[in-house]
Amino acid sequence: MTKHIKIINPHILDYSAISKLFLCLLLLCTGCDNSPWNNPYPNQDSAKNIYYDSFSERPKHLDPVSSYSSNEYVFLGQIYEPPLQYHFLKRPYELIPLTAIELPKPELFDKKGQLLEEDANLGTIDRVKYKISIKPDILYQPHPAFAKNASGKYLYHDLNTQKLSNIHALSDFDTVGTRKLLAKDYVYQIKRMAHPRVHSPISGLMAKYILGLNDFAEELSKIEKDNPGTSFIDLNDYELPGARVIDDTTFEITLSQKYPQFLYWLSMSFFAPMPWEADYFYSQAGMTEKNITLDWYPVGTGPFMLSENNPNLRMVLERNPNFRGEAFPSEGESGDQASGLLDDASKKMPFIDKAIYSLEKESIPAWNKFLQGYYDTSGIVSDSFDQAVQFNLQGNAELTDEMQEKGIRLLTAVTTSTSYMGFNMADEVIGGDSERARLLRRAISITVDYEEYISIFANGRGKPAQGPIPPGIFGNVQGEAGINPYVYQWQGDRPVRHSIEHAKELLAQAGYPEGRDNTNGKQLVLNLDSPAAGPGSKASFDWMRKQFAKLGINLVIRATDYNRFQEKMRKGTAQIFQWGWNADYPDPENFFFLLYGPNAKINHNGENAANYKNAEFDELFNQMKSMSNGPERQAVIDKMVEVVRKDAPWLWGFHPVGFSLHHQWYKNAKPNLMANNTLKYKRIEPRLRTESRSLWNQPIWWPIALLIFLALILLLPAIISYRRKETESIL
Amino acid sequence: MMPVIFVTDALIFLLVFMVVVYVFYARQHEHLRAPWHNVSSRPLAMSAAIILAIYIVVGLLDSLHFHPKLEVTKSSDTIYSTEVSSVLDLVLGDLHQNTERTYSAPLASYAFAKEMIDLPDGKQTRTYPRLKYGGAHLDEPATDSAADITKNIFIGCVFGLVISSILLGLITFILSKAHKTSFRRVLKQIYKNDFHVAWTAMIITMSLTIIVLTIVYNLAQYYHVFGTDKVGQDVLYQAIKSIRTGLVIGTLTTLVMLPFAIMMGLMAGYFRGWIDDVIQYLYTTLNSIPGVLLIAASILLLQVYIGNHADDFNSIEERADLRLLFLCIILGITSWTGLCRLLRAETLKLREIDYVQAAQAFGVSNLSIMLRHLLPNVMHIVMISIVIDFSGLVLAEAVLSYINIGVDPSMNSWGNMINGARLEMAREPIVWWSLAAAFVFMFVLVLAANLFSDAVRDAFDPRLRH
Amino acid sequence: MISYILRRIAYAFPILVGVNIITFILFFVVNTPDDMARMQLGMKRVSETAITKWKEERGYDKPILWNSSSESLEKITDTIFFQNSVKLFVFDFGRSDSGRDIGHDISQRMWPSLAITVPSLLLGLLAYISFGLTLAFFRGSYVDVSGVILCVVMMSISGLFYIIGGQYLIGKFLHLVPISGYDTGFNAIKFTILPILVGLIGGIGASTRWYRTIFLEEMGKDYVRTAKAKGLSEARVLYQHVLMNGLIPILTGVVVVLPSLFMGSLIVESFFAIPGLGSYTIDAISRQDFAIVRSMVFLGSVLYIIGLILTDISYTLVDPRVRLN
């Protein structure tokens, strides 16, 4: 008898053994302290002054001259320092010097080289010069490219594959060095825009303005062709008339025409300094094979440096020990004092030691980790919105009780971007200058109920657009005067969409009564091209079809991949499309140029996706472009807005309102949609964070214990009956 | 009404035709009749078959497409809408049209989230608005809806019982005629579960499903039984419409690959030599490419084709249908190799058997040996692989939709529903009904298919059990 | 034996060539080099010259399969296909279209994949075999019947539900492990628990049922009856004979998947943000990085073929009657 039990026992133990193993594993990885079990970071880091955030898409380029997307600026903005920056607190957005001593003033010259007045006639201007002086004594981050030996020779400037055999990452170089920031580094970077090996997205645009950039590019590519196999061209050896070094701390940029928006570009990382040592260092043989490139390991003067670059897992920024220290702004908008944003005024930045960005491709885990306290800030995806935010009786957004209990804070800001639906003006049915097409477009403009769209798909986080210019950009008019009379009327205190009957009337006038073509009686079929294919896209497609069905129009959604969509846009074979634009800089020119005729997608490969062309508008655009903000400019802008509203090449769509959440231990949060270098202003209180985390993440065990218990209970009768059977067979 | 026949519709009806032919063929051949007879005696399998039959009927109804007529206009000639409906849509009635603004919970009368509402006195307030259709017949849903729902469930139950008793009577009557016994006796036999064919299980399953269907039907008149989705569409409707997609993927994929698999498998096993080498090379090569990559590339390929021939596709349904067909084909390409290999091995064995050798000696042509002697003897393998693959393919659709290489996003499918519902899980309070509906519908189908295929496999080949 | 293996390896060559041609054609019908350039260069303000430059740098400006403008042999060699595919055979994967060294990436991302797949496989075998054995042991009783029904039920649930459910329950509700992510070294363990668990539960249905039938078949054999007749207890028969003999088909079945463990799991990795080769592949597809896709397909094929060869060898080891020729 006893013999059998012995044999059976290990069998039962199989299950408890598995659960024990599971327990052991858990214990192993969490250690024996009190800290939460689901902490995705090492526990010893909890008390450190580290900022935690996530990123969803790996950066493609970290070379400041090629990078042009916000997910790259998150890192680059902290590392590289262009001459100018936006003031962190002040609104409207204001440019202030970063490495420059002061904001450069444009000097206008005519053909003879005579200095002109600021308001000189456009036709007489031949050259515009910006002289920029940078602060002395700015140092680069420690980097092997600067490392020198005792005799002053660069340590790592004669590398080859053999010497690199033990090097796998930048951190494997033993010695690092630094040097002072010089004016020639800025000029070097401007020259890199024309480098045949580097792709700069703005080189085409800048070639229009910076003197001689085009010729310079040709010269460089000729040099490259003549010397095949050379990986490094020392740009200091070649002259670019548009960018010249004057002395160690001064350089001069010359434009071939007046371009007031140029200053904004000077705050973007395209114009960050690039030391020639770094360029040379990375271009040595064998480096690219090791993935050690300038595109991967930035070298800057900013408050932070990239210490770990593993976009499959995480990106780590660490405090740059050589950073000169910059003072937190001591003045801001009214109200900033009260909200504590000036508490740190004049203190030396940066405040945090390290910033860890973890890869999160799925929005749900990212959101849940934020709630558990493992990310310091978070946006709100549409589906977790109701959990986080509710609207009070006045219709203002406020946090739900759950969030308030956790001490989470909410920030909102109307973004300087626009999300619109465009008509291809080159299309036969929907486009063109005919009255029939215009009425059709206007009927659709009224019908597609963006208020509903915003409330369903963006949880009310958007402002219906009245024209191309978003609020917060010069030229936008608020209130009754600012509504689009073709779509809205003013009722009481808010704009109200015209009735659907009005739209139907317009449609009938256009020759499509009840959505049927009066020439052949067929139902009107329109096509919407969209590259969207995510989980949420079906819902929005269904909604869009519902809108057009109100007019009796059958909308066919042509969902394609992104490349095909782009191709259709280039060829102009799309009919209706959805698109958006995010401002490069806070100036109306950056929105109107999306409708400027010579910028059409077709033939010109520009950014005017609707291929809109209107002579009057184009002329006004050229006039508006070089004006400075004031009532005169506003008058021109009003005229332009009226023209495009009448033609309705876009459904103006809406301006998204950005909602962001942060925990109470995260200080100095203020939405700034233009600045990219905001990490240095941020402060963290790690103690509060550690406490909250362990409060929120108490492991719950009983369901697992219950499960194991149930399994045992279920198995017990079988074992008993088996034992009885065995006993019987022996008897 | 102007009928439209999509490619998949045509193939589905071809499949139905083939099944009918097979049934007639099988009735006349003992070696096929016997295993089916065996299957019919298994209660679990026959219950599963009833469930499958209901799904298939829904799928077939949804495969009869047409352009509905538009309301009469001034002009005399009739005009058809460019949109496409199916007979199933007629059966489901207003379910499709009854859309709310956005989310609403199952059987709710109020919306899921608060909204700004204009009061009659011009003021605004923030509250849960009444739904346009769900519980619209009630005056005070807050207090009445529970009672009303119970009442409707009860009515549905009664109706269901009535219909199932009529059905029971009908079946008993037919059986008594067929067995030439009295009505009472048959009834008693059914009660005692005394038939070779598992009638009792079938009748119980049928009654239960009928009761569930009548309850749901009854409730659906007044409520959204499974709630509504983000844009206010009825989730029940989507789940029902997804049935066709699931069935098409599960069956057409096999149909598309069968000719290749059978032909290649037989040829490789029968001819051996270089033909065998070539065919083996072909399937090893195809097999060694990771399937997902092959599918992804092919779906992109199709999108290019549709993009370049945009004018040939007038409706969203046509595009979706082509993509569905293409998905079936490409899934077929990645899955035919398994069957082909099995057939090859079996044929290698069969060709050594006396009567094949004899036929060769008599100079019978290779083609007719393959068709008349080999093919019938491997059909059980084909049969088994069809039923086993079915459930796997239905499940695969969901996974493919997750990585955006499944069916067209505009098409109703469980994969698309799950994919959309992933994000809803993060809502608080949680929006669970889309996921639940997709889960229930898919689970029932796959479970039924698994149970049925187990029985088929056991009946046809007890040796091939694994 | 060695000559057999050598022959099998030689046989693998034409297969790999075929695989290469198929992926190549599929990808280039869909993606012109122009598309790839645009995808890599970003979306705002991309000029034609930049595209041409990009193609030149990566050799995508050459004809795809046949270069009619070149001299004799170069007609074949000076093409995108030749330049990009031949190097794969010596496992030189070259650089991805975004400029990273693929071999380096693969050697890094292989480990997270293995950290998920290897424990999944081992724990899975342990769990499924013991479940299967339990069901076989109690065959015919309510444990067996309800166990089999449970298996069929679990098989009928889409794997996505397990992932979504597991993440919701264990990660969010019970706070036992991090919801997603990964770390290096020992810190990785807590991240792997949830994906491994989800993988285990997802596979229970099909595997347990399969193993149960294997054990049942084994139990029906003559030697078991003889052993019982000798008076050995059932438990002892089960452990000493049935388990050992049943393991043979199970383990030989496992051998074929061993090499492909390197490839990781596409869905699990992207759901749990694990930086393995599975998510590498998915990313490459969505970013249309042809160089990576091609390398991964090639690697997958090689591993698959190795798996086939290993299976054959394991058969001879297990059963001396099988001769390879």
Side-chain angles (χ1 to χ4, degrees), chain A residues 11 39 291 296 312 369 563, chain C residues 100-101 180 190 239 288:
Chain A
H11 192 62
N39 186 355
N291 289 336
W296 214 243
N312 311 320
K369 280 189 198 164
N563 276 339
Chain C
R100 299 264 298 169
D101 189 66
S180 68
K190 61 181 167 189
Y239 275 105
Q288 309 197 346

Side-chain angles (χ1 to χ4, degrees), chain B residues 281 287 293 301 403 450 454, chain C residues 14 29 156 209 282 285 297 304:
Chain B
Y281 169 74
N287 236 6
L293 294 178
L301 191 88
I403 26 183
N450 276 335
D454 272 1
Chain C
V29 172
S156 308
R209 218 164 68 117
I282 290 247
I285 294 176
V297 169
Y304 174 80

Side-chain angles (χ1 to χ4, degrees), chain A residues 313-346:
Chain A
L313 190 57
R314 63 170 167 235
M315 309 281 282
V316 180
L317 291 175
E318 237 167 300
R319 188 197 280 266
N320 170 9
N322 296 342
F323 186 60
R324 62 193 178 281
E326 195 185 339
F328 192 89
S330 50
E331 52 186 271
E333 238 182 332
S334 61
D336 284 348
Q337 181 83 54
S339 55
L341 281 169
L342 289 173
D343 289 358
D344 288 323
S346 308

